[in-house]
Amino acid sequence: MEKFYKVNIKGREEELPILPLPIGISIAFFNLHGNQELTEHCGKELAKLLGDVDVLITAESKGLQLTHVVARELNMPFYAVARKSKKLYMQDGISVQYGSSITTGKAQEFFLSKHDVDLIKGKKVGIVDDVVSTGESLSGLEALVEKAGGIIAKKAFVLAEGDAKDREDVVYLATIPVFTE
């Protein structure tokens, strides 16, 4: 029998399936892929927290549609995307390595195209993503923004998982626990 965790995201109730991870914990799995109504709701709410930034950056893939909504709400025609693999059009871009995320459990690397580096350089940047947990992916995005010459102004997430709720350097819409057995 599948278990769920109910979370209220700024007035919208969601039931998230509780899934085990290989590291011996379980998480309330939050997935925006294919859920247009939830993505719109969360993007519009996050935009309210990001009005004082010049440009946005997110990591592929779950942050893409969310950041698209936020950018639209803030009337920003472009946003930067940190890719997890180097694409053909990124030969003149930059990259950073960072620690393992809670869901992958292995070292990661982010890549940014020259176009996105130019978009960020000298600007106040808002980092947008779906969930902050251990902060490893966030650290990678922060390092990428700094390497590109941007100024980190805000770090906004739909959900803060576990101890991330106690971080004073991030804003979020709701919290979810980490489950230990």
Side-chain angles (χ1 to χ4, degrees), residues 8 28 44 70 78 82-83 110 119 129 133 139 142 148 154:
N8 184 311
K44 287 176 180 179
V70 175
F78 297 99
R83 303 292 303 256
F110 277 139
L119 184 64
D129 211 348
S133 185
S139 293
E142 289 172 314
K154 282 273 177 78

Side-chain angles (χ1 to χ4, degrees), residues 21-37:
L21 296 179
I23 58 173
I25 63 171
S26 295
I27 60 169
F29 185 66
F30 181 66
N31 185 14
L32 290 172
H33 287 313
N35 193 331
Q36 182 181 356
E37 286 183 359

Side-chain angles (χ1 to χ4, degrees), residues 123-137:
K123 304 243 180 67
K124 293 189 300 183
V125 180
I127 295 173
V128 177
D129 211 348
D130 60 339
V131 178
V132 60
S133 185
T134 64
E136 291 296 333
S137 298

Side-chain angles (χ1 to χ4, degrees), residues 94-174:
I94 62 173
S95 67
V96 297
Q97 291 185 333
Y98 63 98
S100 60
S101 75
I102 192 171
T103 51
T104 64
K106 58 183 178 180
Q108 304 285 311
E109 190 169 7
F110 277 139
F111 298 87
L112 199 61
S113 69
K114 182 177 183 323
H115 173 271
D116 286 354
V117 169
D118 293 342
L119 184 64
I120 288 173
K121 189 173 184 171
K123 304 243 180 67
K124 293 189 300 183
V125 180
I127 295 173
V128 177
D129 211 348
D130 60 339
V131 178
V132 60
S133 185
T134 64
E136 291 296 333
S137 298
L138 174 56
S139 293
L141 287 171
E142 289 172 314
L144 202 58
V145 169
E146 289 168 3
K147 190 170 183 177
I151 303 135
I152 300 166
K154 282 273 177 78
K155 297 172 257 186
F157 301 86
V158 176
L159 299 173
E161 183 175 58
D163 291 341
K165 73 182 181 317
D166 300 324
R167 292 181 65 139
E168 294 182 9
D169 64 326
V170 301
V171 294
Y172 51 85
L173 303 178

